[in-house]
Amino acid sequence: MHGELIPVGGGDPIPLLKETLIIGRRESCDIVLRFANVSGHHCQLSLESGYWFVQDMNSQNGVKVNGTRVIRKRLDPGDLISMARHKYTIKYTPEGPPPSEEEDLAAILSKSLLDRAGLQRRADGSPRRYMPQEKPPEDAAGEAKKREYE
């Protein structure tokens, strides 16, 4: 076990059993929160260099750490994490010194734009080419032009 999330206000602790965990409402998530205001895939927790990080996965109601909305943030022991309006305190023992802000920035910049935006890739690994509500543009001959969003 790599730590646990302690529900604020009572409840059973949630063990952090893997180094990468998806939290959300869907049954396929590693940690399932069955609340209507929690997104299907709400956020991801990842253990990096001995410290937990939280990454919002483009959730509708957001993620806060110690009351401040975040996209990605290192979690220190005792930090308060809010997913939608559900609050948890993270409990774990960090390994080594905390990563510097430059290392945090380097980790963010090393990811693709799609990953940083929280967008999903297709099962074959290719990016989504069009937004679901959008039709491909047509050229003068009425042929669909191809655009890639990367």
Side-chain angles (χ1 to χ4, degrees):
M1 185 167 79
H2 301 289
E4 55 190 1
L5 293 177
I6 312 294
V8 173
D12 294 331
I14 300 168
L16 304 176
L17 300 174
K18 299 184 338 185
E19 292 185 3
T20 300
L21 299 158
I22 302 295
I23 300 174
R25 195 177 65 243
R26 291 191 182 154
E27 292 298 322
S28 61
C29 292
D30 299 301
I31 298 174
V32 179
L33 300 178
R34 293 179 181 92
F35 302 107
N37 61 347
V38 172
S39 295
H41 290 127
H42 200 90
C43 64
Q44 176 179 300
L45 292 179
S46 56
L47 188 60
E48 302 171 20
S49 302
Y51 283 77
W52 282 102
F53 286 78
V54 64
Q55 169 89 37
D56 189 345
M57 296 181 76
N58 204 23
S59 64
Q60 185 169 359
N61 291 313
V63 174
K64 291 182 180 179
V65 175
N66 299 323
T68 302
R69 190 160 180 166
V70 299
I71 301 297
R72 177 179 156 81
K73 176 92 170 90
R74 186 184 76 224
L75 300 171
D76 293 323
D79 278 351
L80 180 69
I81 308 154
S82 302
M83 292 161 269
R85 292 189 177 184
H86 308 282
K87 297 179 181 178
Y88 302 85
T89 302
I90 189 162
K91 181 180 174 183
Y92 74 101
T93 303
E95 296 177 15
S100 69
E101 288 185 28
E102 290 83 22
E103 289 173 352
D104 287 350
L105 182 59
I108 291 169
L109 295 177
S110 70
K111 295 183 178 184
S112 74
L113 288 175
L114 283 173
D115 291 337
R116 281 189 264 162
L119 299 174
Q120 301 293 317
R121 292 186 174 269
R122 294 181 179 171
D124 67 3
S126 66
R128 291 182 63 166
R129 297 195 187 280
Y130 301 103
M131 300 303 290
Q133 71 275 12
E134 174 180 317
K135 286 183 168 182
E138 295 180 355
D139 64 12
E143 297 282 324
K145 289 184 185 178
K146 290 187 177 181
R147 290 189 299 186
E148 293 193 21
Y149 294 92
E150 290 191 52

